[in-house]
């Protein structure tokens, strides 16, 4: 099948929209015609080879679309089903079985290996294979093949142009709060970073009933937007020491929970120091491999804090994505306010607007 796809060819280089050939779905796969795909920071850092995915490659990992064909072994999806795509996992290792597929023992090869487990690639150009199966989906394509396991069926009237980011960025931020930190009513949380992941985490904190919600960033307009969405306090870390500000807001105690979405070593250190006694902090921000951050074990030893490194919100997509949709339908999780739509042909402008901060969550529409 001839399809259109955006191909990453080299670091710091615009993606090129090309005509590629898509192979037939394997027995455990479905063919999905994409309606939309979010643009995520991870797409940019893989394009730039922070993580060594083989190039040229079709990236994209926040896809949503309609099933066009099903493999012979697929029994839980049918042609015409609307789906949101999620990261790949094996489904049979101890972590998948225990309900933690984002820590699948094969997570790296399945999502970053550039091919199916058997080494085949679903895309080709003039007979030459193109790296595929990024996050199990390679959604910067008009049509793609995905394992049925990582396709989440949604309602027939679901707004697919909006839902793609639930498969990664929005799931990461909200899942880190709802599945890992789990703040309760009346508790406190600080979120470092007001991008899509950070604001999704903040919306989840609002939905959970947390009553002290502190957003930290260096962009005043983003901080004001966070207040519109439910932040009780904001901190411009260019103007003040965020640790001191957080402790002042909390009467000297620090916050019970914190989320670092930046992956910046200095910010990670600030997060650890902003926690109250026995507080719990989560890091989700991606950094270059080999990046190290300062961690004051002398001072923090007696604080009893916990630090978790969290992938994809530690979510089970087929369980968690429908919950986020239900919260959104009730007006309790207005993540649609983070989204700006772009035609697929303007993919490089979407990347640029995301990097500059002009757009919080770009979504490509096919």
């Amino acid at each position: 099948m001839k399809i259109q796809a955006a191909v990453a060819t080299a670091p710091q280089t615009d993606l090129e929209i090309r005509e590629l050939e898509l192979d037939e779905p394997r027995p455990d796969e479905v063919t999905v015609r994409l309606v939309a795909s979010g643009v995520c920071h991870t797409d940019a850092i893989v394009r730039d080879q922070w993580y060594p995915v083989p190039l040229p490659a079709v990236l994209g990992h926040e896809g949503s679309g309609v099933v066009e064909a099903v493999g012979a072994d697929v029994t839980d999806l049918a042609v015409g089903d609307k789906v949101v795509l999620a990261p790949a996992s094996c489904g049979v290792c101890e972590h998948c079985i225990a309900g933690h597929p984002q820590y699948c023992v094969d997570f790296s090869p399945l999502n970053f290996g550039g091919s199916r487990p058997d080494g085949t690639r679903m895309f080709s150009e003039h007979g030459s294979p193109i790296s595929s199966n990024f996050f199990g989906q390679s959604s910067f394509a008009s049509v793609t093949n995905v394992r049925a396991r990582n396709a989440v069926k949604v309602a027939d009237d679901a707004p697919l142009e909006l839902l793609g980011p639930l498969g990664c960025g929005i799931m990461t931020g909200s899942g880190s709060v709802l599945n890992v930190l789990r703040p309760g009513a009346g508790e406190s949380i600080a979120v470092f970073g007001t991008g899509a992941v950070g604001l999704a985490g903040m919306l989840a904190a609002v939905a959970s009933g947390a009553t002290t919600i502190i957003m930290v960033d260096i962009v005043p307009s983003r901080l004001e937007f966070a207040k519109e969405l439910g932040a009780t306090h904001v901190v411009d870390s260019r103007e003040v020491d965020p640790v001191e500000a957080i402790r002042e807001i909390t009467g000297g105690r620090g916050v019970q929970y914190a989320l670092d979405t930046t992956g910046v070593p200095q910010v990670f250190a600030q997060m650890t120091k902003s926690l109250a006694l026995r507080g719990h902090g989560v890091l989700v921000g991606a950094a270059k491999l080999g990046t190290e951050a300062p961690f004051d074990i002398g001072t923090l030893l007696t604080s009893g804090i916990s630090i978790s490194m969290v992938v994809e919100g530690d979510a089970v997509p087929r369980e968690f994505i429908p919950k986020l949709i239900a919260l959104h339908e009730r007006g309790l999780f207005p993540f649609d306010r983070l989204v700006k739509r772009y035609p697929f042909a303007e993919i490089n402008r979407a990347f640029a607007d995301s990097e500059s901060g002009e757009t919080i969550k770009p979504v490509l529409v096919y």
Side-chain angles (χ1 to χ4, degrees), residues 47-122:
R47 174 201 63 189
D48 297 338
Q49 293 290 278
W50 286 24
Y51 296 162
V53 171
L55 299 181
V58 178
L59 305 178
H61 62 289
E62 293 183 344
S64 58
V66 180
V67 175
E68 284 204 336
V70 297
D73 295 341
V74 177
T75 59
D76 55 352
L77 292 171
V79 173
D81 284 346
K82 289 186 173 182
V83 291
V84 174
L85 307 182
S89 56
C90 73
V92 296
C93 72
E94 60 268 34
H95 302 296
C96 287
I97 291 172
H100 301 282
Q102 311 309 333
Y103 304 101
C104 173
V105 297
D106 289 326
F107 188 90
S108 289
L110 287 174
N111 291 284
F112 295 95
S115 69
R116 297 183 175 97
D118 64 3
T120 60
R121 297 178 177 182
M122 61 181 169

Side-chain angles (χ1 to χ4, degrees), residues 8-280:
T9 58
Q12 303 292 336
T13 301
D14 283 352
L15 278 62
E16 301 175 6
I17 297 181
R18 300 179 181 176
E19 184 176 79
L20 304 181
E21 186 75 24
L22 176 70
D23 67 5
E24 295 297 317
R26 299 300 192 261
D28 62 347
E29 293 179 342
V30 295
T31 299
V32 176
R33 181 166 295 277
L34 276 299
V35 170
S37 178
V39 173
C40 179
H41 177 63
T42 304
D43 295 309
I45 64 176
V46 169
R47 174 201 63 189
D48 297 338
Q49 293 290 278
W50 286 24
Y51 296 162
V53 171
L55 299 181
V58 178
L59 305 178
H61 62 289
E62 293 183 344
S64 58
V66 180
V67 175
E68 284 204 336
V70 297
D73 295 341
V74 177
T75 59
D76 55 352
L77 292 171
V79 173
D81 284 346
K82 289 186 173 182
V83 291
V84 174
L85 307 182
S89 56
C90 73
V92 296
C93 72
E94 60 268 34
H95 302 296
C96 287
I97 291 172
H100 301 282
Q102 311 309 333
Y103 304 101
C104 173
V105 297
D106 289 326
F107 188 90
S108 289
L110 287 174
N111 291 284
F112 295 95
S115 69
R116 297 183 175 97
D118 64 3
T120 60
R121 297 178 177 182
M122 61 181 169
F123 299 120
S124 61
E125 183 179 36
H126 307 306
S128 297
I130 301 291
S131 183
S132 65
N133 296 83
F134 182 61
F135 271 76
Q137 57 185 274
S138 288
S139 61
F140 290 161
S142 57
V143 187
T144 192
N145 291 325
V146 301
R147 289 182 67 197
R149 172 177 169 78
N150 54 296
V152 181
K153 183 178 177 179
V154 296
D156 290 342
D157 61 352
L160 289 180
E161 290 188 2
L162 176 65
L163 299 183
L166 294 181
C168 182
I170 304 301
M171 180 170 71
T172 294
S174 60
S176 296
V177 171
L178 296 176
N179 297 333
V180 181
L181 293 175
R182 299 182 179 180
E187 295 190 307
S188 60
I189 184 171
V191 178
F192 292 77
T194 58
V197 175
L199 289 171
M202 189 208 75
L203 291 174
V206 173
S208 75
T211 50
T212 301
I213 303 173
I214 306 168
M215 299 299 292
V216 183
D217 207 302
I218 61 173
V219 182
S221 61
R222 289 280 189 93
L223 293 172
E224 286 303 310
F225 184 52
K227 288 170 67 175
E228 292 180 23
L229 293 176
T232 60
H233 302 80
V234 296
V235 174
D236 186 337
S237 55
R238 294 180 308 175
E239 303 295 331
V240 298
D241 182 322
V243 177
E244 292 181 2
I246 289 169
R247 292 200 172 274
E248 181 178 353
I249 291 167
T250 57
R253 294 184 298 274
V255 285
Q256 292 156 296
Y257 305 97
L259 175 65
D260 175 16
T261 68
T262 71
V264 176
Q266 179 185 359
V267 176
F268 173 77
Q270 292 168 345
M271 180 194 74
T272 65
K273 295 174 182 177
S274 71
L275 289 166
L277 291 172
R278 301 187 68 244
H280 187 180

